[in-house]
Amino acid sequence: MNIRSRLRDRLQTALEGLAPAPDAAVDLAGLAEMVVPSQDPKFGDYQINCAMPLAKALKRPPREVAQELVDRLQVDDLCEAPTIAGPGFINLKVRDDRLVSLLQTAAKDDRLGIAPVAHRKQYIVDYSAPNVAKPMHVGHIRSSVIGDSIYRTLKFLGHNVVGDNHIGDWGTQFGMIIYGFKHFRDDAAYRANPVAELSRLYRLVNQLVGYFEGQAELPKLRQKADAAKAVLAAAQTIAPTGDKNVDKKNAQTLKKAQNDVESSAKAVAELQEKLAAMDADPAVAKLIAAHPKIGAAALEETAKLHSGDEENLKLWQEFMPPCLEALEETYRRLHVTFDETLGESFYHDRLAEVAEDFERKGLARESDGALCIFLPGQETPMLIRKKDGAFLYATTDLATIKYRIERWKPDAVLYVVDHRQSLHFEQLFAAAKLAGYDACDFRHISFGTVLGKDGRPYKTRSGDTVGLKGLLDEAVERAATIVAENDERNPEGPQLSAEERKRVAETVGIGALKYADLSQNRTSDYEFSYDKMLAMNGNTATYMQYAYARVRSIFRRGGVDIEALRAKNIAIELNTPAERQLAVSILRCEEALELALVDFRPNQLTTYLFELASHYSTFFDQCPVLKAPTPELRDSRLMLCDLTARTIKLGLSLLGIDVVEQM
Ligand code: ARG
């Protein structure tokens, strides 16, 4: 049972009959949300904080309003008599007999007493969505694991959910790969490992295309650097005026001009260095000389593929299965699954119709030969058909919306995509609204960048993006060391076979990586660190998995038949603050899940789990379990251990992370 939501309903009822009645401008539902867990147990378990803002709206003294709320609040079946503190905080303490009966219900229930929602909705979650045939990199972790966790949590709470992997399987990278395949392929390598060879070809062609793009870019960058220098020179001639504000402004202008000179010079130097390195590599230089038109040629290959050219289509069909299998392999390791994988290619022959539809309804019009949707309040229009007739990413997304709405009639579609695509989604959702899809709640679940120690996007030493596979391998390898050390240190001697250690290391390593990502506020950037993610102490998967394994080892050591105990309706004793606090914490799981879905933030769940584990740790330090003074107390404490472990297991499973019995 979700105690907080129960209290919220009661508060809402109490608020509704208040005198004088709050006027319509007062958001009663918003006020009813102001039931929060207490920061300090000495103020009870929950606190109602809405008396102060409400008193302001009613122009009455806050304590008086708090008292009226308390008088009207019907919670005696759940709580002890509410008390008022300070300027009008209402403190609530859940009755111990209620805690005990809720724990008993949880113990006997597979879902730990967590009910599915009363109003189930149809969701579509669009996550992972890598561009096929390019190697998956560190950035793909975020969308995959955040999306997967949201998917799991929605499903657990009883919603209908479709997980759809909208892979980029039709983009310009295929033109590059086809060009590479036609000119540079190594047949033996392709036979031995098609995906590795295709991704080599992609990188090679991309590099060559990048060379010519860089050459075209260089004069522009130089111009920019010169302009910045000129601005700086001008700024340096400005003499102090004696007016403090003006001088401060001028100093800022000067600082900015200095920064611009520095950064533009750096950009020129970096690009020059990059081009020079390619010139200096004889093999690369030869290719550069032999393929001066490679950029246009690669685009041409994409255009041919899209217009149904037989040879290119056949190649594409040949490339796709091994590429998909490579993706699958990563997903299997990450335990990420989908109901559908409807990539961009799936929508290819629907694009023309979608564009025409917008045009026919007068929602899009031509501008310089391109078809554009002009959106209310937006400066830049959304391009849906280029001058040459080609369609765009946005066109595909509009076709995808149409398809999804017709097939699943979703209440909400969640796009778990990085923050750099914010403008795209803003425009997309506005266009969908224009097209009449306004009953559906479209959400961009955006997330920040994974950074290296230097505070810049996480790269390998040579400046390449970090491949996902290597990342997973390294996490697992480091976990293996930790698992081995732990096992060696076991007072009863090592417990794990080599095979078991390997399995545990995989679970711990992958779990650490996922948890490190999920425990971040998704909209922030975060620094990638193996040491932090695998720490045995702190808010990490390793700590949670260890807490779980420790509980399980108590049962093993004590020869406890926990299944039998669960069925026995143990009267859990809550006589010490540590026991009571742990009980309350266990029962807050449903609340945490609700919170995690408010704005689709899995870190709400990790925060909860960390709190639970901390309360468990206090309990474990203060309350002997196997050596409890009476058999009744021993059983009671065993139940608290069990419920903690099961809650951790459930919480981790909703993050897509497994537990291990021993580590
Ligand atoms: N493939 C895209 C990329 O890598 C992400 C697609 C996200 N989903 C969508 N419906 N646009 O940038």
Side-chain angles (χ1 to χ4, degrees):
M1 185 180 96
N2 185 336
I3 301 176
R4 177 173 174 255
S5 101
R6 252 341 131 82
L7 295 174
R8 197 171 42 196
D9 292 347
R10 306 291 178 83
L11 175 60
Q12 169 104 27
T13 312
L15 283 165
E16 273 158 12
L18 221 61
D23 63 45
V26 178
D27 169 18
L28 284 190
L31 290 173
E33 283 295 328
M34 298 175 78
V35 184
V36 296
S38 299
Q39 291 298 326
D40 185 331
K42 77 170 181 264
F43 299 126
D45 304 315
Y46 293 88
Q47 197 165 59
I48 294 176
N49 294 339
C50 70
M52 286 75 80
L54 181 60
K56 210 168 171 192
L58 295 177
K59 302 196 173 52
R60 288 175 53 192
R63 279 198 68 110
E64 191 185 300
V65 173
Q67 186 58 53
E68 195 187 333
L69 276 179
V70 166
D71 293 343
R72 307 185 47 81
L73 196 63
Q74 304 251 333
V75 289
D76 47 357
D77 56 330
L78 278 171
C79 297
E80 292 174 11
T83 55
I84 300 173
F89 294 107
I90 301 169
N91 292 331
L92 299 168
K93 185 169 177 201
V94 182
R95 277 167 38 183
D96 282 4
D97 62 323
R98 288 297 283 154
L99 292 177
V100 171
S101 74
L102 288 171
L103 290 170
Q104 285 173 334
T105 309
K108 276 177 292 192
D109 182 11
D110 281 343
R111 299 177 54 91
L112 292 170
I114 300 173
V117 290
H119 306 285
R120 52 166 61 198
K121 289 194 195 169
Q122 177 68 56
Y123 281 93
I124 295 177
V125 189
D126 180 320
Y127 56 111
S128 193
N131 291 331
V132 175
K134 289 187 195 173
M136 264 174 123
H137 59 79
V138 59
H140 291 115
I141 291 186
R142 300 218 75 185
S143 174
S144 306
V145 308
I146 295 170
D148 179 61
S149 172
I150 294 172
Y151 176 92
R152 288 167 185 261
T153 310
L154 285 168
K155 221 166 188 180
F156 178 74
L157 287 180
H159 293 292
N160 295 318
V161 199
V162 177
D164 187 6
N165 190 2
H166 187 77
I167 51 175
D169 58 357
W170 200 242
T172 45
Q173 80 268 32
F174 279 100
M176 295 199 192
I177 292 168
I178 290 171
Y179 186 91
F181 195 79
K182 287 179 181 172
H183 296 89
F184 310 128
R185 81 169 172 277
D186 173 341
D187 278 311
Y190 180 65
R191 269 194 308 275
N193 185 343
V195 179
E197 175 62 2
L198 292 178
S199 95
R200 180 189 74 86
L201 290 172
Y202 166 73
R203 281 196 304 261
L204 177 62
V205 176
N206 193 34
Q207 186 193 21
L208 297 176
V209 171
Y211 179 86
F212 293 106
E213 282 174 357
Q215 268 198 334
E217 184 69 16
L218 197 54
K220 288 184 212 155
L221 286 186
R222 284 199 178 117
Q223 236 170 38
K224 233 172 133 181
D226 288 342
K229 273 191 216 149
V231 172
L232 178 60
Q236 279 163 337
T237 63
I238 301 174
T241 61
D243 180 329
K244 232 168 81 188
N245 284 334
V246 176
D247 285 348
K248 201 170 145 204
K249 258 223 161 91
N250 288 341
Q252 282 167 349
T253 310
L254 184 65
K255 184 90 204 102
K256 185 181 173 299
Q258 278 161 341
N259 286 343
D260 286 349
V261 165
E262 241 170 71
S263 65
S264 60
K266 196 167 162 213
V268 170
E270 272 176 6
L271 183 55
Q272 266 173 336
E273 205 179 305
K274 189 178 135 193
L275 295 177
M278 289 171 74
D279 285 327
D281 182 331
V284 179
K286 211 171 123 194
L287 293 177
I288 290 170
H291 297 268
K293 299 237 145 44
I294 190 166
L299 284 178
E300 177 59 21
E301 297 293 4
T302 308
K304 274 164 72 184
L305 171 66
H306 288 178
S307 62
D309 174 80
E310 216 175 295
E311 186 188 10
N312 283 8
L313 201 57
K314 224 177 121 230
L315 285 176
W316 181 82
Q317 281 159 349
E318 183 181 317
F319 298 158
M320 280 306 287
C323 289
L324 290 178
E325 176 47 34
L327 282 184
E328 262 318 303
E329 201 181 301
T330 305
Y331 292 138
R332 274 197 294 275
R333 261 189 109 178
L334 282 175
H335 294 293
V336 168
T337 56
F338 305 92
D339 300 300
E340 300 284 347
T341 298
L342 298 176
E344 293 176 3
S345 67
F346 178 80
Y347 298 97
H348 175 64
D349 50 17
R350 298 163 192 260
L351 304 182
E353 195 196 304
V354 165
E356 278 155 27
D357 221 36
F358 269 88
E359 196 171 15
R360 192 161 0 96
K361 289 183 184 146
L363 302 173
R365 61 187 152 81
E366 281 200 3
S367 164
D368 286 334
L371 189 61
C372 300
I373 304 178
F374 290 88
L375 298 159
Q378 296 237 2
E379 233 173 82
T380 33
M382 182 160 130
L383 212 63
I384 56 171
R385 195 178 59 215
K386 288 201 253 182
K387 208 172 171 169
D388 64 6
F391 299 107
L392 297 100
Y393 183 53
T395 330
T396 307
D397 257 332
L398 285 172
T400 308
I401 287 181
K402 180 169 192 283
Y403 178 84
R404 285 174 173 166
I405 299 251
E406 283 166 6
R407 177 159 172 204
W408 291 294
K409 303 180 181 55
D411 297 296
V413 184
L414 314 178
Y415 295 83
V416 188
V417 184
D418 86 69
H419 69 98
R420 285 168 305 180
Q421 295 194 26
S422 297
L423 179 63
H424 166 70
F425 285 110
E426 212 179 289
Q427 296 193 320
L428 180 67
F429 301 163
K433 206 164 170 190
L434 276 185
Y437 300 122
D438 37 13
C440 181
D441 182 11
F442 296 100
R443 296 270 192 110
H444 179 197
I445 311 301
S446 101
F447 52 80
T449 310
V450 183
L451 304 176
K453 288 228 177 330
D454 55 1
R456 299 176 62 173
Y458 189 52
K459 295 269 164 72
T460 59
R461 241 179 240 148
S462 60
D464 290 334
T465 48
V466 180
L468 194 51
K469 188 174 178 308
L471 214 66
L472 302 185
D473 287 344
E474 176 146 7
V476 170
E477 215 169 278
R478 288 176 185 240
T481 315
I482 293 173
V483 169
E485 278 169 9
N486 242 356
D487 196 28
E488 302 292 341
R489 265 205 310 265
N490 192 316
E492 282 137 62
Q495 305 286 309
L496 300 171
S497 68
E499 187 55 36
E500 281 164 337
R501 280 189 186 182
K502 212 173 141 195
R503 207 171 29 78
V504 172
E506 178 81 16
T507 306
V508 170
I510 304 278
L513 200 78
K514 294 177 86 172
Y515 194 99
D517 198 301
L518 292 164
S519 58
Q520 303 297 323
N521 176 350
R522 64 173 164 76
T523 40
S524 334
D525 299 342
Y526 78 92
E527 185 189 308
F528 188 89
S529 154
Y530 287 112
D531 291 333
K532 270 193 215 149
M533 71 174 67
L534 283 158
M536 297 284 289
N537 267 313
N539 190 9
T540 64
T542 317
Y543 177 60
M544 295 304 155
Q545 287 166 326
Y546 191 57
Y548 178 85
R550 274 207 315 193
V551 173
R552 302 296 294 176
S553 88
I554 296 173
F555 298 162
R556 270 194 308 277
R557 271 186 290 134
V560 178
D561 180 354
I562 195 65
E563 297 278 345
L565 220 53
R566 283 177 197 161
K568 257 172 64 182
N569 252 354
I570 302 287
I572 295 175
E573 298 181 31
L574 303 176
N575 299 326
T576 65
E579 283 165 300
R580 192 177 180 285
Q581 192 58 55
L582 179 59
V584 172
S585 188
I586 289 168
L587 292 171
R588 289 197 44 216
C589 183
E590 186 169 344
E591 236 171 88
L593 298 184
E594 184 190 29
L595 205 58
L597 290 182
V598 169
D599 195 24
F600 305 101
R601 294 185 183 275
N603 67 317
Q604 296 283 8
L605 179 51
T606 58
T607 302
Y608 163 71
L609 289 176
F610 186 50
E611 251 168 50
L612 173 67
S614 315
H615 289 139
Y616 177 74
S617 172
T618 310
F619 157 84
F620 191 75
D621 286 345
Q622 297 178 3
C623 308
V625 178
L626 292 175
K627 296 202 173 95
T630 66
E632 289 76 23
L633 195 52
R634 179 180 188 263
D635 282 354
S636 162
R637 290 179 175 171
L638 281 169
M639 282 317 291
L640 283 175
C641 289
D642 184 46
L643 283 164
T644 304
R646 289 174 63 195
T647 307
I648 289 177
K649 182 175 175 174
L650 171 68
L652 288 179
S653 83
L654 298 180
L655 299 167
I657 297 171
D658 283 340
V659 290
V660 290
E661 295 297 311
Q662 273 174 299
M663 68 182 268

